[in-house]
Short mmCIF file of all heavy atoms in Angstrom, two decimals:
data_model
loop_
_atom_site.label_atom_id
_atom_site.label_comp_id
_atom_site.label_asym_id
_atom_site.label_seq_id
_atom_site.Cartn_x
_atom_site.Cartn_y
_atom_site.Cartn_z
N GLY A 1 131.57 14.06 136.84
CA GLY A 1 131.82 14.07 138.33
C GLY A 1 130.52 14.41 139.12
O GLY A 1 129.61 15.14 138.52
N VAL A 2 130.41 13.78 140.22
CA VAL A 2 129.29 14.09 141.11
C VAL A 2 129.74 14.51 142.54
O VAL A 2 130.79 13.98 142.93
CB VAL A 2 128.34 12.83 141.21
CG1 VAL A 2 129.07 11.67 141.80
CG2 VAL A 2 127.04 13.11 141.91
N THR A 3 129.01 15.39 143.19
CA THR A 3 129.49 15.94 144.45
C THR A 3 129.12 15.16 145.63
O THR A 3 129.09 15.70 146.70
CB THR A 3 128.92 17.39 144.52
OG1 THR A 3 127.50 17.38 144.56
CG2 THR A 3 129.51 18.28 143.42
N SER A 4 128.69 13.89 145.40
CA SER A 4 128.43 13.04 146.56
C SER A 4 129.75 12.39 147.22
O SER A 4 130.71 12.45 146.65
CB SER A 4 127.45 11.97 146.11
OG SER A 4 128.04 11.18 145.04
N GLN A 5 129.47 11.94 148.48
CA GLN A 5 130.59 11.32 149.20
C GLN A 5 130.94 9.97 148.53
O GLN A 5 132.15 9.63 148.38
CB GLN A 5 130.13 11.07 150.64
CG GLN A 5 131.25 10.49 151.54
CD GLN A 5 132.26 11.55 151.94
OE1 GLN A 5 131.90 12.77 152.08
NE2 GLN A 5 133.47 11.15 152.16
N LYS A 6 129.92 9.23 148.09
CA LYS A 6 130.09 7.95 147.44
C LYS A 6 129.25 7.99 146.11
O LYS A 6 128.43 8.86 145.87
CB LYS A 6 129.59 6.77 148.32
CG LYS A 6 130.30 6.61 149.54
CD LYS A 6 129.77 5.49 150.42
CE LYS A 6 130.60 5.27 151.73
NZ LYS A 6 129.95 4.14 152.55
N ARG A 7 129.67 7.06 145.20
CA ARG A 7 128.91 7.02 143.94
C ARG A 7 127.42 6.80 144.17
O ARG A 7 127.03 6.01 145.09
CB ARG A 7 129.42 5.96 143.03
CG ARG A 7 130.87 6.20 142.49
CD ARG A 7 131.19 5.38 141.27
NE ARG A 7 132.48 5.57 140.73
CZ ARG A 7 132.96 5.26 139.60
NH1 ARG A 7 132.16 4.66 138.71
NH2 ARG A 7 134.23 5.47 139.25
N LEU A 8 126.57 7.41 143.42
CA LEU A 8 125.14 7.24 143.55
C LEU A 8 124.67 5.91 143.05
O LEU A 8 125.15 5.45 142.00
CB LEU A 8 124.35 8.42 142.82
CG LEU A 8 124.75 9.82 143.22
CD1 LEU A 8 124.08 10.80 142.35
CD2 LEU A 8 124.47 10.00 144.69
N PRO A 9 123.75 5.30 143.70
CA PRO A 9 123.26 3.97 143.30
C PRO A 9 122.72 3.94 141.95
O PRO A 9 121.91 4.78 141.62
CB PRO A 9 122.15 3.70 144.31
CG PRO A 9 122.49 4.53 145.53
CD PRO A 9 123.13 5.76 145.02
N GLY A 10 123.16 3.01 141.09
CA GLY A 10 122.66 2.89 139.79
C GLY A 10 123.16 3.96 138.76
O GLY A 10 122.73 3.97 137.62
N ILE A 11 124.01 4.86 139.24
CA ILE A 11 124.56 5.94 138.39
C ILE A 11 126.07 5.79 138.34
O ILE A 11 126.74 6.08 139.33
CB ILE A 11 124.05 7.25 138.92
CG1 ILE A 11 122.57 7.32 138.95
CG2 ILE A 11 124.70 8.43 138.03
CD1 ILE A 11 122.08 8.68 139.53
N ASN A 12 126.63 5.43 137.22
CA ASN A 12 128.06 5.14 137.19
C ASN A 12 128.80 6.41 136.80
O ASN A 12 129.37 6.48 135.73
CB ASN A 12 128.34 4.05 136.14
CG ASN A 12 129.77 3.59 136.11
OD1 ASN A 12 130.47 3.64 137.14
ND2 ASN A 12 130.26 3.12 135.00
N VAL A 13 128.90 7.30 137.75
CA VAL A 13 129.54 8.64 137.64
C VAL A 13 130.58 8.71 138.78
O VAL A 13 130.15 8.64 139.95
CB VAL A 13 128.61 9.80 137.60
CG1 VAL A 13 129.43 11.11 137.39
CG2 VAL A 13 127.54 9.67 136.54
N PRO A 14 131.88 8.87 138.48
CA PRO A 14 132.81 9.05 139.56
C PRO A 14 132.61 10.22 140.42
O PRO A 14 132.25 11.31 139.87
CB PRO A 14 134.20 9.17 138.84
CG PRO A 14 133.82 9.61 137.41
CD PRO A 14 132.46 9.11 137.15
N THR A 15 132.81 10.17 141.68
CA THR A 15 132.68 11.34 142.54
C THR A 15 133.87 12.29 142.39
O THR A 15 134.92 11.86 141.93
CB THR A 15 132.52 10.86 144.00
OG1 THR A 15 133.83 10.40 144.45
CG2 THR A 15 131.52 9.90 144.26
N MET A 16 133.65 13.48 142.74
CA MET A 16 134.78 14.46 142.69
C MET A 16 135.85 14.00 143.66
O MET A 16 137.06 14.12 143.30
CB MET A 16 134.29 15.90 143.07
CG MET A 16 133.17 16.41 142.24
SD MET A 16 133.71 16.81 140.53
CE MET A 16 134.72 18.30 140.88
N LYS A 17 135.48 13.52 144.77
CA LYS A 17 136.41 13.07 145.77
C LYS A 17 137.35 11.89 145.31
O LYS A 17 138.56 11.94 145.52
CB LYS A 17 135.66 12.69 147.13
CG LYS A 17 136.63 12.63 148.27
CD LYS A 17 135.90 12.69 149.55
CE LYS A 17 136.82 12.67 150.70
NZ LYS A 17 136.11 12.82 152.02
N GLU A 18 136.69 10.97 144.64
CA GLU A 18 137.51 9.87 144.22
C GLU A 18 138.51 10.20 143.10
O GLU A 18 139.56 9.54 142.82
CB GLU A 18 136.71 8.61 143.72
CG GLU A 18 135.98 8.83 142.44
CD GLU A 18 135.09 7.65 142.00
OE1 GLU A 18 133.98 7.44 142.58
OE2 GLU A 18 135.57 6.72 141.25
N GLN A 19 138.23 11.40 142.43
CA GLN A 19 139.16 11.84 141.36
C GLN A 19 140.20 12.81 141.91
O GLN A 19 141.04 13.33 141.24
CB GLN A 19 138.29 12.63 140.41
CG GLN A 19 137.29 11.82 139.58
CD GLN A 19 136.49 12.42 138.50
OE1 GLN A 19 137.03 12.85 137.45
NE2 GLN A 19 135.34 12.88 138.83
N GLY A 20 140.15 12.95 143.30
CA GLY A 20 141.19 13.67 143.98
C GLY A 20 140.90 15.14 144.28
O GLY A 20 141.73 15.93 144.73
N TYR A 21 139.52 15.46 144.19
CA TYR A 21 139.12 16.87 144.49
C TYR A 21 138.14 16.85 145.65
O TYR A 21 137.12 16.24 145.57
CB TYR A 21 138.42 17.38 143.21
CG TYR A 21 139.21 17.30 141.94
CD1 TYR A 21 138.73 16.43 140.94
CD2 TYR A 21 140.53 17.83 141.83
CE1 TYR A 21 139.44 16.29 139.84
CE2 TYR A 21 141.29 17.58 140.64
CZ TYR A 21 140.74 16.85 139.63
OH TYR A 21 141.52 16.63 138.53
N ASP A 22 138.50 17.58 146.67
CA ASP A 22 137.69 17.61 147.87
C ASP A 22 136.43 18.44 147.73
O ASP A 22 136.38 19.54 148.32
CB ASP A 22 138.58 17.94 149.15
CG ASP A 22 137.77 17.70 150.45
OD1 ASP A 22 136.85 16.98 150.42
OD2 ASP A 22 138.28 18.34 151.46
N VAL A 23 135.51 18.01 146.97
CA VAL A 23 134.30 18.71 146.72
C VAL A 23 133.10 17.85 146.98
O VAL A 23 132.73 16.94 146.21
CB VAL A 23 134.23 19.27 145.27
CG1 VAL A 23 132.95 20.05 145.06
CG2 VAL A 23 135.45 20.10 145.00
N VAL A 24 132.55 17.97 148.18
CA VAL A 24 131.38 17.19 148.57
C VAL A 24 130.32 18.19 149.08
O VAL A 24 130.60 18.93 150.04
CB VAL A 24 131.69 16.21 149.77
CG1 VAL A 24 130.42 15.44 150.16
CG2 VAL A 24 132.81 15.25 149.28
N LEU A 25 129.19 18.23 148.38
CA LEU A 25 128.18 19.23 148.69
C LEU A 25 126.86 18.73 148.19
O LEU A 25 126.68 18.36 147.04
CB LEU A 25 128.45 20.64 148.02
CG LEU A 25 127.53 21.73 148.42
CD1 LEU A 25 127.62 22.08 149.90
CD2 LEU A 25 127.83 22.98 147.58
N GLY A 26 125.87 18.72 149.12
CA GLY A 26 124.53 18.20 148.75
C GLY A 26 123.57 19.28 148.56
O GLY A 26 123.74 20.45 149.08
#
């Protein structure tokens, strides 16, 4: 999981948010 709003370019890791967890922090 990654804490970005959207998936990072070139990095195929699902965001926390798309997995259903409201965790967005830079």
